[in-house]
Amino acid sequence: MNIKIVTATVLFTFFGLTAQAFALNEQDLELLRTTNTCPRCDLSGADLSQARLSGANLREANLKGANLSQANLTNADLTGANLETAVLTSANLSNASLTGANLKLASLDNTNLTSAGFIGANLEAANLTGAKRQYTNFRGANFRLTTMPTGTVTSDKNYGWSLQRPAQQVECDKFKNQKVPGTTCRGE
């Protein structure tokens, strides 16, 4: 009987400490609010809706599940940030850097992505419905099961293409003497 109590106590302690390790760090939130700089901070689950974070340094920050709806992130550095399941509805990400960011299951509907860089970003199952994407760089981004700005959902296969190119069925790495604006490579 004592072994069960000890085991239960150890498990509850372990899971309690684990949950705290992945929770929002209030000191990090205060640092962001006062300095507009918080690289590698833990802001998971933070309510940053309508926040003025223009030019903020959030490199490699953990923003998993954060609410950034209607936030101004113009010129923000979100390189390598974890934005998995984050809500960025109607946010302004113009000129922001999201190189290598994880946006899996993120909500980016009606977001301004003008001139933003999503190079190598993970947009798997993200929602981009109605997003403004003029001059946006999606080179090497993962669009698996992504809801595109037009409302269509991409294939469950990995893609290696840009939203700036029209979808065409051509062979990858084969170039033809035609007026073709780009190639589309479909994953196997």
Side-chain angles (χ1 to χ4, degrees), residues 41-96:
C41 286
D42 186 358
L43 300 167
S44 55
D47 183 6
L48 296 167
S49 57
Q50 299 181 353
R52 294 182 186 139
L53 299 170
S54 182
N57 179 355
L58 291 163
R59 290 179 75 92
E60 299 178 18
N62 182 7
L63 291 154
K64 183 175 182 177
N67 181 2
L68 292 153
S69 59
Q70 298 179 3
N72 182 0
L73 291 156
T74 304
N75 297 311
D77 186 357
L78 292 154
T79 302
N82 182 9
L83 291 152
E84 185 174 344
T85 68
V87 178
L88 293 138
T89 303
S90 300
N92 186 353
L93 288 166
S94 60
N95 296 307

Side-chain angles (χ1 to χ4, degrees), residues 1-7:
M1 189 70 152
N2 288 338
I3 295 174
K4 288 183 181 178
I5 294 172
V6 171
T7 304

Side-chain angles (χ1 to χ4, degrees), residues 130-170:
K132 183 179 178 182
R133 63 199 191 287
Q134 188 173 15
Y135 303 113
T136 304
N137 189 346
F138 289 102
R139 180 173 281 156
N142 178 14
F143 289 99
R144 186 171 182 258
L145 297 172
T146 304
T147 304
M148 302 309 274
T150 58
T152 59
V153 179
T154 62
S155 170
D156 65 346
K157 297 178 181 177
N158 289 322
Y159 283 90
W161 51 271
S162 168
L163 287 178
Q164 301 298 325
R165 298 177 183 167
Q168 299 175 1
Q169 290 195 356
V170 296

Side-chain angles (χ1 to χ4, degrees), residues 91-134:
N92 186 353
L93 288 166
S94 60
N95 296 307
S97 173
L98 290 111
T99 300
N102 180 14
L103 292 133
K104 184 176 183 178
L105 296 166
S107 179
L108 294 149
D109 49 313
N110 299 313
T111 301
N112 183 355
L113 307 176
T114 302
S115 299
F118 287 86
I119 300 167
N122 182 11
L123 290 159
E124 182 177 349
N127 180 8
L128 297 170
T129 305
K132 183 179 178 182
R133 63 199 191 287
Q134 188 173 15

